[in-house]
Amino acid sequence: MTDMEERFPRGLWIRLIIYIAVGHVLAAFIWFLFEVGANQ
């Protein structure tokens, strides 16, 4: 793991985790809208 941390700076990992989290939240929101629309 140490060679990976040397290759990528800490800020890049934080940004990557934030982008993945936001992407999952957005996908869940879109899925929720489709579920609500299908049930009405």
Side-chain angles (χ1 to χ4, degrees):
M1 190 65 187
T2 52
D3 58 339
M4 288 291 285
E5 288 176 354
E6 287 171 9
R7 218 173 302 145
F8 295 109
R10 190 183 187 94
L12 189 69
W13 282 117
I14 295 170
R15 212 174 305 147
L16 191 69
I17 290 168
I18 289 171
Y19 285 151
I20 290 170
V22 168
H24 277 82
V25 168
L26 198 65
F29 180 68
I30 292 169
W31 174 80
F32 176 73
L33 287 179
F34 275 108
E35 284 292 313
V36 168
N39 289 335
Q40 287 182 349

PDB file of all heavy atoms in Angstrom:
ATOM      1  N   MET A   1       0.846  -1.208   0.000  1.00  0.00           N
ATOM      2  CA  MET A   1       0.000   0.000   0.000  1.00  0.00           C
ATOM      3  C   MET A   1       0.880   1.258   0.000  1.00  0.00           C
ATOM      4  O   MET A   1       0.433   2.301  -0.437  1.00  0.00           O
ATOM      5  CB  MET A   1      -0.916  -0.025   1.235  1.00  0.00           C
ATOM      6  CG  MET A   1      -2.001   1.036   1.219  1.00  0.00           C
ATOM      7  SD  MET A   1      -3.182   0.794  -0.118  1.00  0.00           S
ATOM      8  CE  MET A   1      -4.157   2.265   0.013  1.00  0.00           C
ATOM      9  N   THR A   2       2.096   1.146   0.496  1.00  0.00           N
ATOM     10  CA  THR A   2       2.944   2.332   0.578  1.00  0.00           C
ATOM     11  C   THR A   2       3.333   2.840  -0.794  1.00  0.00           C
ATOM     12  O   THR A   2       3.400   4.045  -1.012  1.00  0.00           O
ATOM     13  CB  THR A   2       4.203   2.034   1.407  1.00  0.00           C
ATOM     14  OG1 THR A   2       4.830   0.868   0.881  1.00  0.00           O
ATOM     15  CG2 THR A   2       3.866   1.829   2.863  1.00  0.00           C
ATOM     16  N   ASP A   3       3.567   1.920  -1.760  1.00  0.00           N
ATOM     17  CA  ASP A   3       3.928   2.379  -3.106  1.00  0.00           C
ATOM     18  C   ASP A   3       2.756   3.051  -3.805  1.00  0.00           C
ATOM     19  O   ASP A   3       2.928   3.954  -4.599  1.00  0.00           O
ATOM     20  CB  ASP A   3       4.468   1.214  -3.955  1.00  0.00           C
ATOM     21  CG  ASP A   3       3.459   0.082  -4.063  1.00  0.00           C
ATOM     22  OD1 ASP A   3       2.570   0.001  -3.210  1.00  0.00           O
ATOM     23  OD2 ASP A   3       3.568  -0.721  -5.010  1.00  0.00           O
ATOM     24  N   MET A   4       1.535   2.626  -3.498  1.00  0.00           N
ATOM     25  CA  MET A   4       0.350   3.281  -4.056  1.00  0.00           C
ATOM     26  C   MET A   4       0.208   4.696  -3.496  1.00  0.00           C
ATOM     27  O   MET A   4      -0.125   5.621  -4.209  1.00  0.00           O
ATOM     28  CB  MET A   4      -0.911   2.478  -3.727  1.00  0.00           C
ATOM     29  CG  MET A   4      -1.029   1.178  -4.504  1.00  0.00           C
ATOM     30  SD  MET A   4      -1.346   1.422  -6.263  1.00  0.00           S
ATOM     31  CE  MET A   4      -3.067   1.896  -6.198  1.00  0.00           C
ATOM     32  N   GLU A   5       0.453   4.863  -2.204  1.00  0.00           N
ATOM     33  CA  GLU A   5       0.340   6.185  -1.592  1.00  0.00           C
ATOM     34  C   GLU A   5       1.419   7.132  -2.104  1.00  0.00           C
ATOM     35  O   GLU A   5       1.214   8.334  -2.156  1.00  0.00           O
ATOM     36  CB  GLU A   5       0.420   6.053  -0.067  1.00  0.00           C
ATOM     37  CG  GLU A   5      -0.836   5.421   0.527  1.00  0.00           C
ATOM     38  CD  GLU A   5      -0.718   5.214   2.024  1.00  0.00           C
ATOM     39  OE1 GLU A   5       0.367   5.449   2.557  1.00  0.00           O
ATOM     40  OE2 GLU A   5      -1.715   4.800   2.642  1.00  0.00           O
ATOM     41  N   GLU A   6       2.578   6.586  -2.467  1.00  0.00           N
ATOM     42  CA  GLU A   6       3.629   7.434  -3.029  1.00  0.00           C
ATOM     43  C   GLU A   6       3.275   7.890  -4.442  1.00  0.00           C
ATOM     44  O   GLU A   6       3.591   8.992  -4.838  1.00  0.00           O
ATOM     45  CB  GLU A   6       4.960   6.673  -3.042  1.00  0.00           C
ATOM     46  CG  GLU A   6       5.562   6.514  -1.659  1.00  0.00           C
ATOM     47  CD  GLU A   6       6.758   5.576  -1.660  1.00  0.00           C
ATOM     48  OE1 GLU A   6       7.207   5.193  -2.755  1.00  0.00           O
ATOM     49  OE2 GLU A   6       7.226   5.223  -0.570  1.00  0.00           O
ATOM     50  N   ARG A   7       2.610   7.020  -5.200  1.00  0.00           N
ATOM     51  CA  ARG A   7       2.258   7.361  -6.580  1.00  0.00           C
ATOM     52  C   ARG A   7       1.116   8.381  -6.642  1.00  0.00           C
ATOM     53  O   ARG A   7       1.100   9.265  -7.483  1.00  0.00           O
ATOM     54  CB  ARG A   7       1.864   6.078  -7.329  1.00  0.00           C
ATOM     55  CG  ARG A   7       2.360   6.079  -8.759  1.00  0.00           C
ATOM     56  CD  ARG A   7       2.117   4.745  -9.441  1.00  0.00           C
ATOM     57  NE  ARG A   7       2.754   3.629  -8.729  1.00  0.00           N
ATOM     58  CZ  ARG A   7       2.234   2.413  -8.641  1.00  0.00           C
ATOM     59  NH1 ARG A   7       1.072   2.146  -9.183  1.00  0.00           N
ATOM     60  NH2 ARG A   7       2.877   1.450  -8.012  1.00  0.00           N
ATOM     61  N   PHE A   8       0.117   8.238  -5.763  1.00  0.00           N
ATOM     62  CA  PHE A   8      -1.029   9.144  -5.766  1.00  0.00           C
ATOM     63  C   PHE A   8      -0.998  10.026  -4.523  1.00  0.00           C
ATOM     64  O   PHE A   8      -0.849   9.514  -3.415  1.00  0.00           O
ATOM     65  CB  PHE A   8      -2.339   8.350  -5.782  1.00  0.00           C
ATOM     66  CG  PHE A   8      -2.539   7.558  -7.040  1.00  0.00           C
ATOM     67  CD1 PHE A   8      -2.442   6.176  -7.021  1.00  0.00           C
ATOM     68  CD2 PHE A   8      -2.822   8.187  -8.238  1.00  0.00           C
ATOM     69  CE1 PHE A   8      -2.620   5.439  -8.184  1.00  0.00           C
ATOM     70  CE2 PHE A   8      -3.006   7.456  -9.394  1.00  0.00           C
ATOM     71  CZ  PHE A   8      -2.905   6.072  -9.370  1.00  0.00           C
ATOM     72  N   PRO A   9      -1.153  11.332  -4.681  1.00  0.00           N
ATOM     73  CA  PRO A   9      -1.195  12.212  -3.499  1.00  0.00           C
ATOM     74  C   PRO A   9      -2.470  12.008  -2.697  1.00  0.00           C
ATOM     75  O   PRO A   9      -3.465  11.460  -3.179  1.00  0.00           O
ATOM     76  CB  PRO A   9      -1.150  13.617  -4.108  1.00  0.00           C
ATOM     77  CG  PRO A   9      -1.645  13.463  -5.498  1.00  0.00           C
ATOM     78  CD  PRO A   9      -1.246  12.067  -5.930  1.00  0.00           C
ATOM     79  N   ARG A  10      -2.426  12.450  -1.443  1.00  0.00           N
ATOM     80  CA  ARG A  10      -3.553  12.244  -0.528  1.00  0.00           C
ATOM     81  C   ARG A  10      -4.827  12.938  -1.024  1.00  0.00           C
ATOM     82  O   ARG A  10      -5.921  12.398  -0.919  1.00  0.00           O
ATOM     83  CB  ARG A  10      -3.159  12.778   0.855  1.00  0.00           C
ATOM     84  CG  ARG A  10      -4.137  12.421   1.936  1.00  0.00           C
ATOM     85  CD  ARG A  10      -3.705  13.061   3.257  1.00  0.00           C
ATOM     86  NE  ARG A  10      -4.545  12.606   4.353  1.00  0.00           N
ATOM     87  CZ  ARG A  10      -4.239  11.584   5.137  1.00  0.00           C
ATOM     88  NH1 ARG A  10      -3.127  10.914   4.941  1.00  0.00           N
ATOM     89  NH2 ARG A  10      -5.038  11.226   6.098  1.00  0.00           N
ATOM     90  N   GLY A  11      -4.674  14.143  -1.598  1.00  0.00           N
ATOM     91  CA  GLY A  11      -5.846  14.878  -2.068  1.00  0.00           C
ATOM     92  C   GLY A  11      -6.586  14.163  -3.179  1.00  0.00           C
ATOM     93  O   GLY A  11      -7.803  14.272  -3.297  1.00  0.00           O
ATOM     94  N   LEU A  12      -5.826  13.403  -3.998  1.00  0.00           N
ATOM     95  CA  LEU A  12      -6.460  12.667  -5.095  1.00  0.00           C
ATOM     96  C   LEU A  12      -7.344  11.547  -4.558  1.00  0.00           C
ATOM     97  O   LEU A  12      -8.443  11.326  -5.045  1.00  0.00           O
ATOM     98  CB  LEU A  12      -5.383  12.098  -6.022  1.00  0.00           C
ATOM     99  CG  LEU A  12      -5.885  11.493  -7.334  1.00  0.00           C
ATOM    100  CD1 LEU A  12      -6.409  12.588  -8.249  1.00  0.00           C
ATOM    101  CD2 LEU A  12      -4.762  10.740  -8.015  1.00  0.00           C
ATOM    102  N   TRP A  13      -6.878  10.853  -3.520  1.00  0.00           N
ATOM    103  CA  TRP A  13      -7.693   9.794  -2.901  1.00  0.00           C
ATOM    104  C   TRP A  13      -8.966  10.366  -2.305  1.00  0.00           C
ATOM    105  O   TRP A  13     -10.045   9.793  -2.466  1.00  0.00           O
ATOM    106  CB  TRP A  13      -6.890   9.086  -1.803  1.00  0.00           C
ATOM    107  CG  TRP A  13      -5.900   8.090  -2.319  1.00  0.00           C
ATOM    108  CD1 TRP A  13      -4.548   8.148  -2.183  1.00  0.00           C
ATOM    109  CD2 TRP A  13      -6.170   6.892  -3.061  1.00  0.00           C
ATOM    110  NE1 TRP A  13      -3.983   7.050  -2.791  1.00  0.00           N
ATOM    111  CE2 TRP A  13      -4.937   6.264  -3.332  1.00  0.00           C
ATOM    112  CE3 TRP A  13      -7.345   6.293  -3.507  1.00  0.00           C
ATOM    113  CZ2 TRP A  13      -4.847   5.071  -4.042  1.00  0.00           C
ATOM    114  CZ3 TRP A  13      -7.258   5.101  -4.219  1.00  0.00           C
ATOM    115  CH2 TRP A  13      -6.029   4.505  -4.476  1.00  0.00           C
ATOM    116  N   ILE A  14      -8.838  11.516  -1.614  1.00  0.00           N
ATOM    117  CA  ILE A  14     -10.021  12.131  -0.990  1.00  0.00           C
ATOM    118  C   ILE A  14     -11.027  12.539  -2.063  1.00  0.00           C
ATOM    119  O   ILE A  14     -12.226  12.297  -1.936  1.00  0.00           O
ATOM    120  CB  ILE A  14      -9.584  13.336  -0.124  1.00  0.00           C
ATOM    121  CG1 ILE A  14      -8.732  12.841   1.051  1.00  0.00           C
ATOM    122  CG2 ILE A  14     -10.790  14.124   0.369  1.00  0.00           C
ATOM    123  CD1 ILE A  14      -8.059  13.957   1.827  1.00  0.00           C
ATOM    124  N   ARG A  15     -10.514  13.150  -3.151  1.00  0.00           N
ATOM    125  CA  ARG A  15     -11.392  13.567  -4.246  1.00  0.00           C
ATOM    126  C   ARG A  15     -12.067  12.362  -4.886  1.00  0.00           C
ATOM    127  O   ARG A  15     -13.253  12.404  -5.213  1.00  0.00           O
ATOM    128  CB  ARG A  15     -10.560  14.324  -5.281  1.00  0.00           C
ATOM    129  CG  ARG A  15     -11.352  15.414  -5.976  1.00  0.00           C
ATOM    130  CD  ARG A  15     -10.435  16.238  -6.880  1.00  0.00           C
ATOM    131  NE  ARG A  15      -9.302  16.780  -6.127  1.00  0.00           N
ATOM    132  CZ  ARG A  15      -8.091  16.961  -6.650  1.00  0.00           C
ATOM    133  NH1 ARG A  15      -7.845  16.651  -7.902  1.00  0.00           N
ATOM    134  NH2 ARG A  15      -7.131  17.466  -5.911  1.00  0.00           N
ATOM    135  N   LEU A  16     -11.323  11.272  -5.062  1.00  0.00           N
ATOM    136  CA  LEU A  16     -11.870  10.064  -5.673  1.00  0.00           C
ATOM    137  C   LEU A  16     -12.993   9.471  -4.817  1.00  0.00           C
ATOM    138  O   LEU A  16     -14.053   9.110  -5.330  1.00  0.00           O
ATOM    139  CB  LEU A  16     -10.745   9.038  -5.846  1.00  0.00           C
ATOM    140  CG  LEU A  16     -11.042   7.807  -6.695  1.00  0.00           C
ATOM    141  CD1 LEU A  16     -11.203   8.218  -8.154  1.00  0.00           C
ATOM    142  CD2 LEU A  16      -9.921   6.792  -6.545  1.00  0.00           C
ATOM    143  N   ILE A  17     -12.774   9.431  -3.506  1.00  0.00           N
ATOM    144  CA  ILE A  17     -13.798   8.903  -2.598  1.00  0.00           C
ATOM    145  C   ILE A  17     -15.040   9.789  -2.623  1.00  0.00           C
ATOM    146  O   ILE A  17     -16.175   9.303  -2.644  1.00  0.00           O
ATOM    147  CB  ILE A  17     -13.219   8.776  -1.172  1.00  0.00           C
ATOM    148  CG1 ILE A  17     -12.181   7.647  -1.141  1.00  0.00           C
ATOM    149  CG2 ILE A  17     -14.312   8.514  -0.150  1.00  0.00           C
ATOM    150  CD1 ILE A  17     -11.349   7.614   0.111  1.00  0.00           C
ATOM    151  N   ILE A  18     -14.849  11.114  -2.666  1.00  0.00           N
ATOM    152  CA  ILE A  18     -15.993  12.035  -2.711  1.00  0.00           C
ATOM    153  C   ILE A  18     -16.771  11.844  -4.009  1.00  0.00           C
ATOM    154  O   ILE A  18     -18.012  11.773  -4.003  1.00  0.00           O
ATOM    155  CB  ILE A  18     -15.509  13.494  -2.543  1.00  0.00           C
ATOM    156  CG1 ILE A  18     -15.037  13.721  -1.103  1.00  0.00           C
ATOM    157  CG2 ILE A  18     -16.619  14.480  -2.908  1.00  0.00           C
ATOM    158  CD1 ILE A  18     -14.348  15.046  -0.891  1.00  0.00           C
ATOM    159  N   TYR A  19     -16.047  11.727  -5.159  1.00  0.00           N
ATOM    160  CA  TYR A  19     -16.737  11.533  -6.431  1.00  0.00           C
ATOM    161  C   TYR A  19     -17.523  10.234  -6.457  1.00  0.00           C
ATOM    162  O   TYR A  19     -18.650  10.184  -6.950  1.00  0.00           O
ATOM    163  CB  TYR A  19     -15.727  11.545  -7.586  1.00  0.00           C
ATOM    164  CG  TYR A  19     -15.209  12.925  -7.940  1.00  0.00           C
ATOM    165  CD1 TYR A  19     -13.931  13.089  -8.475  1.00  0.00           C
ATOM    166  CD2 TYR A  19     -15.996  14.055  -7.752  1.00  0.00           C
ATOM    167  CE1 TYR A  19     -13.443  14.342  -8.810  1.00  0.00           C
ATOM    168  CE2 TYR A  19     -15.519  15.319  -8.078  1.00  0.00           C
ATOM    169  CZ  TYR A  19     -14.240  15.454  -8.610  1.00  0.00           C
ATOM    170  OH  TYR A  19     -13.767  16.686  -8.942  1.00  0.00           O
ATOM    171  N   ILE A  20     -16.954   9.156  -5.905  1.00  0.00           N
ATOM    172  CA  ILE A  20     -17.656   7.869  -5.867  1.00  0.00           C
ATOM    173  C   ILE A  20     -18.903   7.970  -4.981  1.00  0.00           C
ATOM    174  O   ILE A  20     -19.986   7.501  -5.350  1.00  0.00           O
ATOM    175  CB  ILE A  20     -16.702   6.762  -5.389  1.00  0.00           C
ATOM    176  CG1 ILE A  20     -15.644   6.488  -6.468  1.00  0.00           C
ATOM    177  CG2 ILE A  20     -17.463   5.486  -5.055  1.00  0.00           C
ATOM    178  CD1 ILE A  20     -14.514   5.587  -6.013  1.00  0.00           C
ATOM    179  N   ALA A  21     -18.763   8.633  -3.816  1.00  0.00           N
ATOM    180  CA  ALA A  21     -19.893   8.773  -2.896  1.00  0.00           C
ATOM    181  C   ALA A  21     -21.012   9.598  -3.539  1.00  0.00           C
ATOM    182  O   ALA A  21     -22.182   9.218  -3.487  1.00  0.00           O
ATOM    183  CB  ALA A  21     -19.425   9.422  -1.593  1.00  0.00           C
ATOM    184  N   VAL A  22     -20.659  10.722  -4.173  1.00  0.00           N
ATOM    185  CA  VAL A  22     -21.661  11.577  -4.822  1.00  0.00           C
ATOM    186  C   VAL A  22     -22.328  10.823  -5.970  1.00  0.00           C
ATOM    187  O   VAL A  22     -23.543  10.907  -6.160  1.00  0.00           O
ATOM    188  CB  VAL A  22     -21.010  12.895  -5.304  1.00  0.00           C
ATOM    189  CG1 VAL A  22     -21.941  13.675  -6.224  1.00  0.00           C
ATOM    190  CG2 VAL A  22     -20.627  13.755  -4.105  1.00  0.00           C
ATOM    191  N   GLY A  23     -21.543  10.056  -6.724  1.00  0.00           N
ATOM    192  CA  GLY A  23     -22.110   9.270  -7.820  1.00  0.00           C
ATOM    193  C   GLY A  23     -23.118   8.247  -7.327  1.00  0.00           C
ATOM    194  O   GLY A  23     -24.172   8.058  -7.938  1.00  0.00           O
ATOM    195  N   HIS A  24     -22.824   7.596  -6.211  1.00  0.00           N
ATOM    196  CA  HIS A  24     -23.756   6.612  -5.660  1.00  0.00           C
ATOM    197  C   HIS A  24     -25.019   7.278  -5.134  1.00  0.00           C
ATOM    198  O   HIS A  24     -26.119   6.751  -5.313  1.00  0.00           O
ATOM    199  CB  HIS A  24     -23.073   5.819  -4.547  1.00  0.00           C
ATOM    200  CG  HIS A  24     -22.240   4.687  -5.041  1.00  0.00           C
ATOM    201  ND1 HIS A  24     -20.962   4.856  -5.496  1.00  0.00           N
ATOM    202  CD2 HIS A  24     -22.525   3.367  -5.182  1.00  0.00           C
ATOM    203  CE1 HIS A  24     -20.494   3.669  -5.867  1.00  0.00           C
ATOM    204  NE2 HIS A  24     -21.412   2.755  -5.702  1.00  0.00           N
ATOM    205  N   VAL A  25     -24.874   8.431  -4.492  1.00  0.00           N
ATOM    206  CA  VAL A  25     -26.049   9.158  -3.985  1.00  0.00           C
ATOM    207  C   VAL A  25     -26.936   9.593  -5.147  1.00  0.00           C
ATOM    208  O   VAL A  25     -28.156   9.467  -5.099  1.00  0.00           O
ATOM    209  CB  VAL A  25     -25.608  10.364  -3.122  1.00  0.00           C
ATOM    210  CG1 VAL A  25     -26.780  11.286  -2.829  1.00  0.00           C
ATOM    211  CG2 VAL A  25     -24.976   9.871  -1.822  1.00  0.00           C
ATOM    212  N   LEU A  26     -26.307  10.095  -6.220  1.00  0.00           N
ATOM    213  CA  LEU A  26     -27.064  10.527  -7.392  1.00  0.00           C
ATOM    214  C   LEU A  26     -27.791   9.346  -8.042  1.00  0.00           C
ATOM    215  O   LEU A  26     -28.964   9.452  -8.403  1.00  0.00           O
ATOM    216  CB  LEU A  26     -26.105  11.188  -8.384  1.00  0.00           C
ATOM    217  CG  LEU A  26     -26.722  12.072  -9.462  1.00  0.00           C
ATOM    218  CD1 LEU A  26     -27.391  13.283  -8.834  1.00  0.00           C
ATOM    219  CD2 LEU A  26     -25.647  12.509 -10.442  1.00  0.00           C
ATOM    220  N   ALA A  27     -27.097   8.218  -8.169  1.00  0.00           N
ATOM    221  CA  ALA A  27     -27.708   7.024  -8.751  1.00  0.00           C
ATOM    222  C   ALA A  27     -28.877   6.529  -7.889  1.00  0.00           C
ATOM    223  O   ALA A  27     -29.916   6.142  -8.410  1.00  0.00           O
ATOM    224  CB  ALA A  27     -26.667   5.925  -8.905  1.00  0.00           C
ATOM    225  N   ALA A  28     -28.720   6.561  -6.569  1.00  0.00           N
ATOM    226  CA  ALA A  28     -29.797   6.144  -5.671  1.00  0.00           C
ATOM    227  C   ALA A  28     -30.997   7.079  -5.779  1.00  0.00           C
ATOM    228  O   ALA A  28     -32.146   6.639  -5.746  1.00  0.00           O
ATOM    229  CB  ALA A  28     -29.284   6.109  -4.230  1.00  0.00           C
ATOM    230  N   PHE A  29     -30.741   8.376  -5.937  1.00  0.00           N
ATOM    231  CA  PHE A  29     -31.829   9.347  -6.077  1.00  0.00           C
ATOM    232  C   PHE A  29     -32.608   9.116  -7.366  1.00  0.00           C
ATOM    233  O   PHE A  29     -33.841   9.126  -7.378  1.00  0.00           O
ATOM    234  CB  PHE A  29     -31.252  10.766  -6.039  1.00  0.00           C
ATOM    235  CG  PHE A  29     -32.287  11.843  -6.179  1.00  0.00           C
ATOM    236  CD1 PHE A  29     -33.211  12.053  -5.176  1.00  0.00           C
ATOM    237  CD2 PHE A  29     -32.339  12.641  -7.325  1.00  0.00           C
ATOM    238  CE1 PHE A  29     -34.180  13.050  -5.298  1.00  0.00           C
ATOM    239  CE2 PHE A  29     -33.309  13.626  -7.458  1.00  0.00           C
ATOM    240  CZ  PHE A  29     -34.225  13.820  -6.439  1.00  0.00           C
ATOM    241  N   ILE A  30     -31.894   8.880  -8.473  1.00  0.00           N
ATOM    242  CA  ILE A  30     -32.555   8.606  -9.756  1.00  0.00           C
ATOM    243  C   ILE A  30     -33.356   7.316  -9.676  1.00  0.00           C
ATOM    244  O   ILE A  30     -34.498   7.245 -10.130  1.00  0.00           O
ATOM    245  CB  ILE A  30     -31.502   8.565 -10.889  1.00  0.00           C
ATOM    246  CG1 ILE A  30     -30.919   9.966 -11.107  1.00  0.00           C
ATOM    247  CG2 ILE A  30     -32.118   8.034 -12.188  1.00  0.00           C
ATOM    248  CD1 ILE A  30     -29.692   9.992 -12.004  1.00  0.00           C
ATOM    249  N   TRP A  31     -32.770   6.262  -9.040  1.00  0.00           N
ATOM    250  CA  TRP A  31     -33.481   4.995  -8.867  1.00  0.00           C
ATOM    251  C   TRP A  31     -34.745   5.209  -8.030  1.00  0.00           C
ATOM    252  O   TRP A  31     -35.803   4.650  -8.322  1.00  0.00           O
ATOM    253  CB  TRP A  31     -32.554   3.982  -8.194  1.00  0.00           C
ATOM    254  CG  TRP A  31     -33.228   2.694  -7.850  1.00  0.00           C
ATOM    255  CD1 TRP A  31     -33.495   1.669  -8.689  1.00  0.00           C
ATOM    256  CD2 TRP A  31     -33.747   2.320  -6.567  1.00  0.00           C
ATOM    257  NE1 TRP A  31     -34.131   0.673  -7.992  1.00  0.00           N
ATOM    258  CE2 TRP A  31     -34.309   1.052  -6.702  1.00  0.00           C
ATOM    259  CE3 TRP A  31     -33.763   2.960  -5.319  1.00  0.00           C
ATOM    260  CZ2 TRP A  31     -34.895   0.367  -5.630  1.00  0.00           C
ATOM    261  CZ3 TRP A  31     -34.369   2.286  -4.244  1.00  0.00           C
ATOM    262  CH2 TRP A  31     -34.914   1.024  -4.406  1.00  0.00           C
ATOM    263  N   PHE A  32     -34.635   6.042  -6.982  1.00  0.00           N
ATOM    264  CA  PHE A  32     -35.784   6.339  -6.113  1.00  0.00           C
ATOM    265  C   PHE A  32     -36.888   7.035  -6.911  1.00  0.00           C
ATOM    266  O   PHE A  32     -38.073   6.707  -6.764  1.00  0.00           O
ATOM    267  CB  PHE A  32     -35.322   7.226  -4.956  1.00  0.00           C
ATOM    268  CG  PHE A  32     -36.437   7.665  -4.044  1.00  0.00           C
ATOM    269  CD1 PHE A  32     -37.017   6.757  -3.178  1.00  0.00           C
ATOM    270  CD2 PHE A  32     -36.884   8.978  -4.058  1.00  0.00           C
ATOM    271  CE1 PHE A  32     -38.050   7.157  -2.326  1.00  0.00           C
ATOM    272  CE2 PHE A  32     -37.907   9.379  -3.219  1.00  0.00           C
ATOM    273  CZ  PHE A  32     -38.499   8.468  -2.356  1.00  0.00           C
ATOM    274  N   LEU A  33     -36.518   7.977  -7.784  1.00  0.00           N
ATOM    275  CA  LEU A  33     -37.517   8.655  -8.608  1.00  0.00           C
ATOM    276  C   LEU A  33     -38.239   7.667  -9.527  1.00  0.00           C
ATOM    277  O   LEU A  33     -39.447   7.745  -9.696  1.00  0.00           O
ATOM    278  CB  LEU A  33     -36.855   9.759  -9.437  1.00  0.00           C
ATOM    279  CG  LEU A  33     -36.411  11.009  -8.682  1.00  0.00           C
ATOM    280  CD1 LEU A  33     -35.757  11.990  -9.651  1.00  0.00           C
ATOM    281  CD2 LEU A  33     -37.575  11.671  -7.971  1.00  0.00           C
ATOM    282  N   PHE A  34     -37.488   6.738 -10.128  1.00  0.00           N
ATOM    283  CA  PHE A  34     -38.119   5.736 -10.982  1.00  0.00           C
ATOM    284  C   PHE A  34     -39.040   4.831 -10.196  1.00  0.00           C
ATOM    285  O   PHE A  34     -40.122   4.456 -10.665  1.00  0.00           O
ATOM    286  CB  PHE A  34     -37.054   4.899 -11.705  1.00  0.00           C
ATOM    287  CG  PHE A  34     -36.552   5.538 -12.978  1.00  0.00           C
ATOM    288  CD1 PHE A  34     -35.275   6.086 -13.053  1.00  0.00           C
ATOM    289  CD2 PHE A  34     -37.372   5.594 -14.102  1.00  0.00           C
ATOM    290  CE1 PHE A  34     -34.816   6.666 -14.214  1.00  0.00           C
ATOM    291  CE2 PHE A  34     -36.924   6.175 -15.264  1.00  0.00           C
ATOM    292  CZ  PHE A  34     -35.643   6.725 -15.330  1.00  0.00           C
ATOM    293  N   GLU A  35     -38.647   4.447  -8.970  1.00  0.00           N
ATOM    294  CA  GLU A  35     -39.491   3.588  -8.125  1.00  0.00           C
ATOM    295  C   GLU A  35     -40.798   4.310  -7.757  1.00  0.00           C
ATOM    296  O   GLU A  35     -41.870   3.723  -7.821  1.00  0.00           O
ATOM    297  CB  GLU A  35     -38.729   3.202  -6.856  1.00  0.00           C
ATOM    298  CG  GLU A  35     -37.687   2.137  -7.077  1.00  0.00           C
ATOM    299  CD  GLU A  35     -38.291   0.791  -7.418  1.00  0.00           C
ATOM    300  OE1 GLU A  35     -39.258   0.371  -6.719  1.00  0.00           O
ATOM    301  OE2 GLU A  35     -37.818   0.161  -8.375  1.00  0.00           O
ATOM    302  N   VAL A  36     -40.699   5.584  -7.375  1.00  0.00           N
ATOM    303  CA  VAL A  36     -41.899   6.352  -7.004  1.00  0.00           C
ATOM    304  C   VAL A  36     -42.799   6.520  -8.218  1.00  0.00           C
ATOM    305  O   VAL A  36     -44.015   6.379  -8.131  1.00  0.00           O
ATOM    306  CB  VAL A  36     -41.491   7.717  -6.408  1.00  0.00           C
ATOM    307  CG1 VAL A  36     -42.690   8.640  -6.286  1.00  0.00           C
ATOM    308  CG2 VAL A  36     -40.835   7.516  -5.038  1.00  0.00           C
ATOM    309  N   GLY A  37     -42.202   6.804  -9.386  1.00  0.00           N
ATOM    310  CA  GLY A  37     -42.988   6.968 -10.600  1.00  0.00           C
ATOM    311  C   GLY A  37     -43.669   5.682 -11.033  1.00  0.00           C
ATOM    312  O   GLY A  37     -44.792   5.713 -11.548  1.00  0.00           O
ATOM    313  N   ALA A  38     -43.034   4.549 -10.811  1.00  0.00           N
ATOM    314  CA  ALA A  38     -43.619   3.263 -11.218  1.00  0.00           C
ATOM    315  C   ALA A  38     -44.771   2.867 -10.300  1.00  0.00           C
ATOM    316  O   ALA A  38     -45.708   2.185 -10.725  1.00  0.00           O
ATOM    317  CB  ALA A  38     -42.547   2.173 -11.201  1.00  0.00           C
ATOM    318  N   ASN A  39     -44.716   3.311  -9.048  1.00  0.00           N
ATOM    319  CA  ASN A  39     -45.754   2.922  -8.090  1.00  0.00           C
ATOM    320  C   ASN A  39     -46.986   3.817  -8.155  1.00  0.00           C
ATOM    321  O   ASN A  39     -48.015   3.465  -7.602  1.00  0.00           O
ATOM    322  CB  ASN A  39     -45.185   2.946  -6.665  1.00  0.00           C
ATOM    323  CG  ASN A  39     -44.208   1.816  -6.425  1.00  0.00           C
ATOM    324  OD1 ASN A  39     -44.281   0.780  -7.088  1.00  0.00           O
ATOM    325  ND2 ASN A  39     -43.283   2.022  -5.506  1.00  0.00           N
ATOM    326  N   GLN A  40     -46.893   4.949  -8.823  1.00  0.00           N
ATOM    327  CA  GLN A  40     -48.054   5.841  -8.895  1.00  0.00           C
ATOM    328  C   GLN A  40     -48.861   5.601 -10.155  1.00  0.00           C
ATOM    329  O   GLN A  40     -48.357   5.161 -11.158  1.00  0.00           O
ATOM    330  CB  GLN A  40     -47.599   7.300  -8.851  1.00  0.00           C
ATOM    331  CG  GLN A  40     -47.125   7.693  -7.460  1.00  0.00           C
ATOM    332  CD  GLN A  40     -46.728   9.165  -7.401  1.00  0.00           C
ATOM    333  OE1 GLN A  40     -46.622   9.835  -8.425  1.00  0.00           O
ATOM    334  NE2 GLN A  40     -46.477   9.647  -6.195  1.00  0.00           N
TER     335      GLN A  40
END
